[in-house]
């Protein structure tokens, strides 16, 4: 299992990005969370099987239809065993 802290930049707030991310994470059996950041980006923590996390990272560049993703930054993180689902904050 791997974990990443992710920041998604562009037109990503107010376009259903976090809801879309929640559904995508559930489909990939990932746990974690997403929230809007004060700088207009979406911040997320995702963890799960490496292949599934990589699939999510690839899809973050597309996002939902109304999103316009300009950049996706990742940082390796420590797995949080206390998380049992993917949440939107």
């Amino acid at each position: 299992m791997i974990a990443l802290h992710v920041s998604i930049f562009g037109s990503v707030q107010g376009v259903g990005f976090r809801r879309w991310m929640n559904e995508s994470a559930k489909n990939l059996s990932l746990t974690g969370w997403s929230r809007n950041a004060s700088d207009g980006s979406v911040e997320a923590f995702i963890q799960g099987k490496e292949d599934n996390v990589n699939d999510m990272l690839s899809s973050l560049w597309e996002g939902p239809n109304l999103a316009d993703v300009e950049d996706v930054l990742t940082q390796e993180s420590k797995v949080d065993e206390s998380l049992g689902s993917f949440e939107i904050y």
Side-chain angles (χ1 to χ4, degrees):
M1 180 181 289
I2 66 168
L4 295 176
H5 184 265
V6 183
S7 294
I8 305 105
F9 297 91
S11 297
V12 294
Q13 289 190 10
V15 295
F17 202 98
R18 291 175 299 145
R19 184 174 55 246
W20 170 86
M21 194 173 182
N22 187 332
E23 289 302 314
S24 297
K26 288 179 181 178
N27 290 337
L28 291 167
S29 301
L30 300 175
T31 58
W33 49 263
S34 67
R35 64 182 172 206
N36 285 335
S38 60
D39 65 0
S41 67
V42 169
E43 179 184 10
F45 176 81
I46 56 175
Q47 65 182 17
K49 293 181 181 176
E50 186 172 0
D51 288 345
N52 294 3
V53 170
N54 289 333
D55 287 348
M56 174 64 108
L57 284 179
S58 294
S59 68
L60 290 177
W61 282 95
E62 298 298 320
N65 291 337
L66 297 175
D68 182 19
V69 178
E70 295 175 5
D71 202 4
V72 178
L73 302 179
T74 63
Q75 182 177 7
E76 289 184 25
S77 191
K78 185 178 175 184
V79 170
D80 184 347
E81 298 288 347
S82 70
L83 297 175
S85 62
F86 195 89
E87 302 294 330
I88 298 172
Y89 297 118

